[in-house]
Amino acid sequence: MLDTGSLPAMARAQRSEVLDTWLAGLLDAAVARTPPPRPRRGGVGGGHQVRRGTDGVALVAVGSLGRRELPPHGDLDLVLVHEGRPEVAALADAIWYPVWDAGLRLDHSVRTVAEAVGVASTDVKAGLGLLDARFVAGDADLAATLRTATLASWRQSASRLLPQLRDLRRGRARQVGELAFLLEPHLKEAYGGLREGQVLRAVAAAQLADEPTTELEEAYAFLLDVRDELRRRSDRPNDVLVRQEQRPVAVALGLADEDALLRRVSLAGRRLAFVADETWRRAEAALVRRPRGRYRRVRREPLAEGVVRQGDEVVLARDAHPATDPGLVLRGAAAAARADLVLSPYTLKVLAVHSPPVPEPWPAEVRWSFLRLLASGRPAVALLEQLDQEGLLVRLLPEWERVRSLPQRDPWHRFTVDRHLVESAAAAAELTHDVDRPDLLLVGALLHDIGKGWPGDHSVVGEPVAAAIATRMGFSAPDVATVAAMVRHHLLLPDTATRRDIDDPATVDRIAATIGSDPALLQLLHALAQADGAATSSSAWSPWKAHLVAALVGRVLARLGGAPVPAPQPVLNPGAPQASTGCAGLPDGASDVTVGVEDVADGQQVTIVAPDRSGLFSELAGVLALNQLDVRAAKVNVVAGRATAVFAVRPRFGRAPVASILADTVRAAHEGTLPLADRLRQREVDYRQDAVRTVPPRISWYDGEVTGDAAGILEVRAGDRAGLLYGLTAALAAEGLDVTSARIETLGADAADHFYVANPSGEPIDAAQRQRVEAALVAAVCGAVADPASGRGDAPG
């Protein structure tokens, strides 16, 4: 690979030079100290040929040292090649032991040329390593013979070894992930990492692909620089770019900050992965054995004006005129996506060089092609990546450059911003039958996070950006306003559904007031929320969250249409239960409590009816946590002194809740025979994955959006653990606040809990009380458990 003039690159070159000189000296010393064996007696042909000096023996570097890419704390990969010298074992020991004595890790072997070629022809990893064989010391002609024989064997065995190499890389990609989209990428083994650069050279060595381009070599060299700087900062080898090392590595490489580093890493990884995908596609086609026979011309099938299908790719038609046809790029991409094909690399380069700018506003035919491309769904992802890699997408959408490979630090996001937008559009393509304006849904999905490329609230700053793009695309003024509103309010429905009580009329009024009297916009926002969630991650868009949003949309539609809003259901999930696990009462009338459990979508619903008392909600949350149930949502209604608490739960370890067990636990907690705080604290000790995180929680108040000064909405974001909900609600109860409803959401290792709280006396929640509540919540997140009766908290366990 092409080296650069960076400091890490110069350090690699110097490291290789120093090691080569030292290893050459070891070989010379070994030869000098190791006498050749005496010839046997017995006449002609009865003894060994006596070789002196380094004749017939060569020290060869393979792997990273062979490529002159050895990183700090890297392994030395050495092969001692010989032509049958009987003293070769002694020579090898005289070289290996000083290396070990120097504290270096060593991967070594001693082989003849025939032995090395035999191993390389059957072991794909060994063959890949020997392709990097580089002469260090000894017999240069022997080292050259090894390299020539290895290369010939690799080409001869390519049809058998390359599929194995492909499967190895795909297996590692499934385990480690894709470099471009990881917040803590493995620089070597993630797909698109350093290993891809080495594999591309191997495929080129098999004469099944071109040699890597300068652009690809520069991407590879940058990843080498990052890896070397990362290793230089550690006392042990580690190729995972962990978060705490990103800023110092960025500074050392002259980059602005960790986001700039991660973006450069992503761009390099995407380029390597893109070329690797195309290389494997072509290599696999070349390795297919076709029956012998007469030469048959490849059929060319017309797909659209100017493009035809040829084999498994789309190429330009003979009568195409890319220099005078501004719509050809999108027309060809749309045709390829509809046929589930890709554009040929040569066609992409021709289009990149010769395509003229698209007139502004876009002609209707160009806009139609773009919408047709987006409507193709999953096949559009590969085509948009092709356009992006050749710089064609940025020509169409200059604002796209701002979000290209832009990292998202939220752990529940799977992709960079630009890839997330493309994935959202692909998901939206599955929902076009659910809306009246599928064209606006597709464009809104592609642009909903475009504002993340600018400072500020991305929904706010993205609104004018999306409006400008939609105008350039040629949409009418009302359609431009709709796209802008979709970007501005794309989080409205999911945020409201998960933070607020959807049965509260104030919640419905707030949505209606925000979007106006347009049911079509509500319809588009609902579909956009689904597409956005599906493209984010499963933890960000669960069946339960989808149900909440759908229920909220139904209530808002009823309000917009003038029909009565559906009455609140007695359970959180109004759908019919799939099964019931029964209802248990507490015996002897001790507590007048009943517990019911129903199977609902994505978990169970637990309904507990009990006399109302201070701290009841917290007590019930603790009982559920003790029974290994994760709460996703909760609501409490109090009528005539009796509380009905409904919890949507998901078993943490797959065991559905049993009503009778829950009833017994509630009774014990109520009577004081079950010390909830102590039991939950012990459970955290037993389950280390539930250990308290030290990151401070984020606490927000939303009291201006509900009716009454005595009520408020409180948001707590903190590291998730067992018993967290119990601790938070106990802290609220200890500070004199009632919890009337809660929405609980887990996003990766974080919890986002939203509580409707109020003073029972009707007094406003003033600033002083807020400060006390916030302090109590921080203590609860750190492990302290408050006593609702006394208002005091226990020290963290």
Side-chain angles (χ1 to χ4, degrees), residues 20 60 133 145 155 223 330 371 472 520 603 676 715:
D20 284 359
V60 173
T145 300
R155 291 170 178 167
L223 293 183
L330 287 177
L371 292 170
R472 190 186 314 130
L676 272 177
E715 178 189 71

Side-chain angles (χ1 to χ4, degrees), residues 760-774:
S761 63
E763 293 292 326
I765 306 174
D766 58 24
Q769 188 176 14
R770 285 188 181 189
Q771 290 182 354
R772 294 195 302 270
V773 168
E774 291 177 7

Side-chain angles (χ1 to χ4, degrees), residues 674-742:
L674 174 64
L676 272 177
D678 293 341
R679 289 287 300 276
L680 287 171
R681 189 178 295 113
Q682 182 59 47
R683 185 169 178 266
E684 289 185 7
V685 174
D686 295 339
Y687 294 90
R688 293 183 182 274
Q689 68 269 28
D690 291 332
V692 178
R693 296 175 64 188
T694 59
V695 179
R698 191 179 74 189
I699 302 171
S700 306
W701 295 82
Y702 303 91
D703 57 339
E705 299 170 358
V706 296
T707 303
D709 294 334
I713 299 174
L714 177 64
E715 178 189 71
V716 182
R717 289 181 177 262
D720 189 32
R721 60 180 174 86
L724 176 64
L725 180 60
Y726 168 66
L728 295 177
T729 51
L732 294 173
E735 295 301 325
L737 293 180
D738 281 346
V739 178
T740 60
S741 183

